[in-house]
Amino acid sequence: MSTVETPREVRAQAKYVRISPRKARLVAEHIRGRSVPEARAVLRFTSREAAGELEKVLQSAVSNAEANHGIAEDRLYISAAYVDGGPVMKRWRARARGRVARIRKRTCHITVRLTERPQPVVATPAPAAVEPAAEEAPKPKRKPAAKKATTAKKTPAKKKASAK
């Protein structure tokens, strides 16, 4: 009976972040599936405001992994990074002719889930018997296909005279 070790998973979440979820999702897509050092480099050079918030959440998740499970940062990768919508603050702005326009100040919840990379299994190569007939024989070269001669001549299209 063989046992399969499930990879350990660590999660960190930031709630009520004052960024639109749609804008934060654009940055979250960049780091999904990457290793932690690679994701940090991507976030450092991303010029969006959401990159700073995602970097804080990523740092929190890495700290959780090191403190609670003893997993090194180099062995972690981002298995999931997603942004959910939070509550919306509604404000009002005066407009022309006594009207009012609604302003929505959106918030979001950012979640980053890290998973440990599985240990590399070192397999000993089995000695394989190589037979001379089993080796690949060189394939014979094919002649290039002959080009077909075209007999139809192309005639230039006649231009219509423009009337003034």
Side-chain angles (χ1 to χ4, degrees):
M1 182 179 209
S2 65
T3 60
V4 177
E5 185 179 328
T6 58
R8 292 182 281 183
E9 202 170 77
V10 182
R11 183 174 78 99
Q13 190 173 25
K15 293 185 137 197
Y16 308 106
V17 179
R18 248 315 265 123
I19 294 176
S20 169
R22 186 173 176 182
K23 294 176 182 177
R25 282 185 194 115
L26 292 172
V27 179
E29 288 175 8
H30 288 300
I31 64 170
R32 203 173 290 137
R34 296 183 188 262
S35 67
V36 170
E38 188 180 356
R40 281 194 174 162
V42 169
L43 290 174
R44 199 164 289 127
F45 291 106
T46 302
S47 62
R48 291 184 171 265
E49 184 184 344
E53 297 295 330
L54 264 156
E55 196 167 9
K56 288 179 189 177
V57 178
L58 178 62
Q59 175 58 40
S60 175
V62 169
S63 297
N64 290 343
E66 290 174 347
N68 300 339
H69 301 288
I71 305 170
E73 177 183 332
D74 298 337
R75 299 199 26 79
L76 295 169
Y77 75 98
I78 300 170
S79 58
Y82 52 91
V83 179
D84 296 326
V88 179
M89 297 184 287
K90 295 178 179 101
R91 301 292 181 259
W92 305 100
R93 169 165 290 171
R95 305 307 290 182
R97 295 165 62 182
R99 294 183 186 166
V100 166
R102 179 185 295 159
I103 297 174
R104 292 182 209 91
K105 295 182 179 266
R106 299 179 187 273
T107 63
C108 66
H109 306 311
I110 301 171
T111 306
V112 173
R113 223 174 14 205
L114 303 178
T115 306
E116 183 181 17
R117 289 215 184 271
Q119 291 282 356
V121 179
V122 179
T124 57
V130 180
E131 297 179 17
E135 294 179 11
E136 291 185 28
K139 295 181 182 178
K141 292 185 178 179
R142 291 179 23 183
K143 293 181 183 178
K147 293 183 179 178
K148 294 180 181 178
T150 58
T151 56
K153 293 182 181 179
K154 294 182 180 178
T155 57
K158 294 182 180 178
K159 296 182 182 178
K160 292 184 179 180
S162 62
K164 288 189 179 181

